[in-house]
Amino acid sequence: KAGVTQTPRYLIKTRGQQVTLSCSPISGHRSVSWYQQTPGQGLQFLFEYFSETQRNKGNFPGRFSGRQFSNSRSEMNVSTLELGDSALYLCASSLLASRTNTGELFFGEGSRLTVL
Amino acid sequence: GQQVMQIPQYQHVQEGEDFTTYCNSSTTLSNIQWYKQRPGGHPVFLIQLVKSGEVKKQKRLTFQFGEAKKNSSLHITATQTTDVGTYFCAASGSARQLTFGSGTQLTVLP
């Protein structure tokens, strides 16, 4: 069974540009979450999508957005990039649909974004 | 939003010594999960605890969930070099959103 696939793995952008990251969850997983990981802030929750609907959103500015498609694949977009957006962006999929329990999260390898 | 405090931030141990990392929340948790991230890798799920006072073991790893469901610990007995990595707790409160602790980076010296 294929794992969570994230593309691209690495990318370099300059300030002011925008970026789109893609995530393909494990087959059958309908929940996709996005996290930002930085050395100083650890793993910060961005948002979660389930059946094409955003279920939860973290405390990030509106420049960070996402969506989920009918096949459960998800994309996140960051507009007007800032230096502080440099981070590893992790996508995780899960099977459980409980209101209070995500169940086990399966993480992808991440997309490492560098903003110059 | 919910906050989860994890200590220590770093831990260096000699191979064969024990290791413990702790997570604390000011609010009652619905459940808590533990993940391990190897250097250069991604977080990998270890376990989930749901019940008050729950204790689960995986070989040399022992996980505990406090009676009040506000704290949790991960204890590794007789560490090995393969245990190197960062250990994260991740907690859910009343909402589904998982909040990760800041992680404990474990170094095992041979």
Side-chain angles (χ1 to χ4, degrees):
Chain A
K1 193 166 172 181
V4 177
T5 304
Q6 290 188 247
T7 57
R9 291 290 312 281
Y10 303 91
L11 64 167
I12 300 173
K13 294 285 187 178
T14 56
R15 280 180 297 176
Q17 287 187 311
Q18 71 152 7
V19 65
T20 299
L21 308 178
S22 179
C23 172
S24 293
I26 291 173
S27 178
H29 287 195
R30 293 164 64 189
S31 170
V32 174
S33 301
W34 288 90
Y35 290 83
Q36 181 195 64
Q37 186 173 32
T38 58
Q41 297 296 319
L43 276 154
Q44 300 288 314
F45 174 77
L46 282 156
F47 24 66
E48 180 195 8
Y49 288 88
F50 183 86
S51 294
E52 302 179 67
T53 302
Q54 188 179 87
R55 288 181 70 153
N56 286 298
K57 189 178 191 306
N59 192 25
F60 277 82
R63 299 186 298 106
F64 292 81
S65 63
R67 59 178 176 169
Q68 187 180 32
F69 302 96
S70 58
N71 62 357
S72 293
R73 190 177 70 84
S74 178
E75 288 182 348
M76 68 162 282
N77 184 78
V78 188
S79 62
T80 320
L81 285 166
E82 300 176 359
L83 295 179
D85 297 333
S86 294
L88 179 66
Y89 290 87
L90 290 161
C91 166
S93 73
S94 69
L95 185 60
L96 201 60
S98 160
R99 186 179 60 83
T100 58
N101 191 342
T102 67
E104 176 180 354
L105 294 186
F106 293 82
F107 282 88
E109 297 287 347
S111 292
R112 185 165 295 281
L113 170 66
T114 301
V115 182
L116 302 176
Chain B
Q2 181 173 286
Q3 289 193 343
V4 178
M5 304 300 294
Q6 187 172 357
I7 55 169
Q9 188 175 0
Y10 302 96
Q11 185 79 60
H12 293 71
V13 298
Q14 288 290 143
E15 190 172 17
E17 292 183 336
D18 291 357
F19 159 78
T20 305
T21 174
Y22 302 89
C23 275
N24 292 286
S25 168
S26 58
T27 59
T28 302
L29 303 171
S30 170
N31 59 79
I32 195 160
Q33 300 179 9
W34 286 91
Y35 291 80
K36 176 183 179 181
Q37 185 173 22
R38 293 181 185 274
H42 58 277
V44 175
F45 176 85
L46 294 176
I47 209 158
Q48 176 171 279
L49 305 172
V50 178
K51 298 177 183 177
S52 168
E54 190 169 16
V55 178
K56 288 189 176 180
K57 293 189 176 186
Q58 290 179 350
K59 297 183 180 178
R60 296 177 294 104
L61 277 61
T62 301
F63 305 84
Q64 294 190 6
F65 202 7
E67 293 289 343
K69 299 185 73 173
K70 290 184 176 181
N71 58 76
S72 181
S73 65
L74 157 60
H75 179 82
I76 302 179
T77 303
T79 54
Q80 300 175 359
T81 54
T82 52
D83 295 325
V84 165
T86 301
Y87 293 84
F88 293 95
C89 61
S92 289
S94 56
R96 179 182 165 90
Q97 177 178 325
L98 266 184
T99 299
F100 278 76
S102 53
T104 296
Q105 187 175 317
L106 173 63
T107 302
V108 180
L109 305 169

